[in-house]
Amino acid sequence: MNNDSGTRMGFDCIANTYARFPITIQRGQGVFVWDEQGKKYVDFTSGIAVCSLGHCHPQIVEAVKTQADRLFHISNLYWTEPQAKLARLLCENSFGEKVFFCNSGAEAVEAAIKLARKFGHETRGPDCYEIICLRGSFHGRTLAAITATGQPVYQRGFEPLVDGFTHVPPNNIHALELAAGERTAAILLEPILGEGGVIPLETAFLQAARDIADRIGALVIFDEIQTGMGRTGNLFAHEHAGVTPDVMCLAKALANGLPIGATVAKDEVMAHLGPGTHASTFGGNPLCCAAAIRVMEILTETDILERVRQQGSYLKKRLEELSRWWPDIREVRGRGLMVAVEFQRPFPDLASHLIEKGILAIVPQGRLLRLLPPFLIEKEHIDMLLTALDEFRQRSS
Ligand SMILES: *Cc1c(COP(=O)(O)O)cnc(C)c1O
């Protein structure tokens, strides 16, 4: 799209908060999307870990169409069946016993933070409100969520931040021990730090967080907004470690592209949010829930998670092979289909090289290649990515 037609289209009217690639995506099907000129791309982003079951999955499209003919929205003044059914599916397939629905990841984190404060105040007194978070974490863009986020780049210019947050380095049990105390209401972490660079937390660290929280009566909150819904090869990433939280935040892939967030908790914890304490007009609306129900059914009733593990290990194996030829690769890491390649030096042209080759991928600052493909990804698409990366290697050496 040239600048003139972009202006006519209204691109100039969109707030300039994103540095966008100069392509306009019109259509998607499975692992592919097409731009306005008909060029086809393999999507290794899934719309940032959202369309995990592929674009326009026929069964999800069908579920949404059926619900769209019935009821879009009625508010939470009344019960709806799709919301109840989704809540039951989430509870049956996790440690959870109650679910609060909202519309995004940041809101799911916000609800968890409010829940932790309420729980802290009511079980241990008004001074118990502090949330321990990790350096390098990412929890969303509301004021409380950027305060929880352990990266100054998201906070600068928005001060004063919210009171009562403290940060420790990931995988540092000693620092966690020192930070935890009477004021600690909760420990909030991503089992694999996503936006922070795909950094897995060690099982021992997750277990230590659980033990410390149990000792002082604090909550463990896992932000599984990116790692959840099968992305790492299990329904939820904490299952790999065998460490169970008290509260879990979900969003991104929950409805495969429709906006929904969920805060899942144990009954005795969620009981601290009674009528009137928290709310969301759109939260858990029937249309998004209809999509999410189908997502949950596909994830739990088919062998798709086995596929995530298989394709994930093939992707990782091929990238590790490439790293033997390409000394600029520092590390290949991740789990399932949440994989990253860290480079020794930045490659600012890598993202546009991949776009030219018909591949969409996330390449923050040219230093990291983040791969979050749909679970339907085939070996041939992975091979295509590897060919494009190898061409780039030869060009840049
Ligand atoms: C994306 C993300 C969020 C924020 O989700 P939004 O829907 O953009 O508000 C929070 N936490 C994690 C781990 C995420 O990956």
Side-chain angles (χ1 to χ4, degrees), residues 18 48-50 103-109 137-142 145 149 189-196 222-227 249-252 259-261 338 370:
Y18 282 90
I48 319 188
V50 168
N103 316 289
S104 68
E107 285 173 90
V109 169
S137 61
F138 181 83
H139 298 293
R141 301 291 200 133
T142 64
T149 292
L189 21 107
E190 303 157 81
I192 302 175
L193 280 67
E195 304 299 304
F222 285 164
D223 178 346
E224 291 240 24
I225 289 164
Q226 189 160 151
T227 53
C249 303
L250 300 174
K252 291 206 162 90
I260 186 170
M338 181 174 181
R370 274 176 64 208

Side-chain angles (χ1 to χ4, degrees), residues 5 13 21 43 70 82 112 128 169 244 257 280 307 333 338 342:
S5 57
C13 301
F21 291 105
D43 183 5
R70 222 172 257 164
C128 175
T244 306
S280 167
R307 192 186 164 80
R333 55 179 183 255
M338 181 174 181
E342 188 185 334

Side-chain angles (χ1 to χ4, degrees), residues 319-356:
L319 291 167
E320 273 157 6
E321 281 164 16
L322 177 70
S323 75
R324 282 184 227 130
W325 295 101
W326 196 0
D328 289 315
I329 294 181
R330 177 178 289 162
E331 195 184 15
V332 177
R333 55 179 183 255
R335 193 189 261 274
L337 285 170
M338 181 174 181
V339 173
V341 179
E342 188 185 334
F343 298 106
Q344 306 273 14
R345 60 188 174 103
F347 289 106
D349 303 337
L350 179 56
S352 30
H353 169 81
L354 292 176
I355 284 181
E356 196 189 303

Side-chain angles (χ1 to χ4, degrees), residues 217-234:
L219 299 176
V220 172
I221 305 169
F222 285 164
D223 178 346
E224 291 240 24
I225 289 164
Q226 189 160 151
T227 53
M229 310 313 293
R231 178 53 60 187
T232 66
N234 274 3

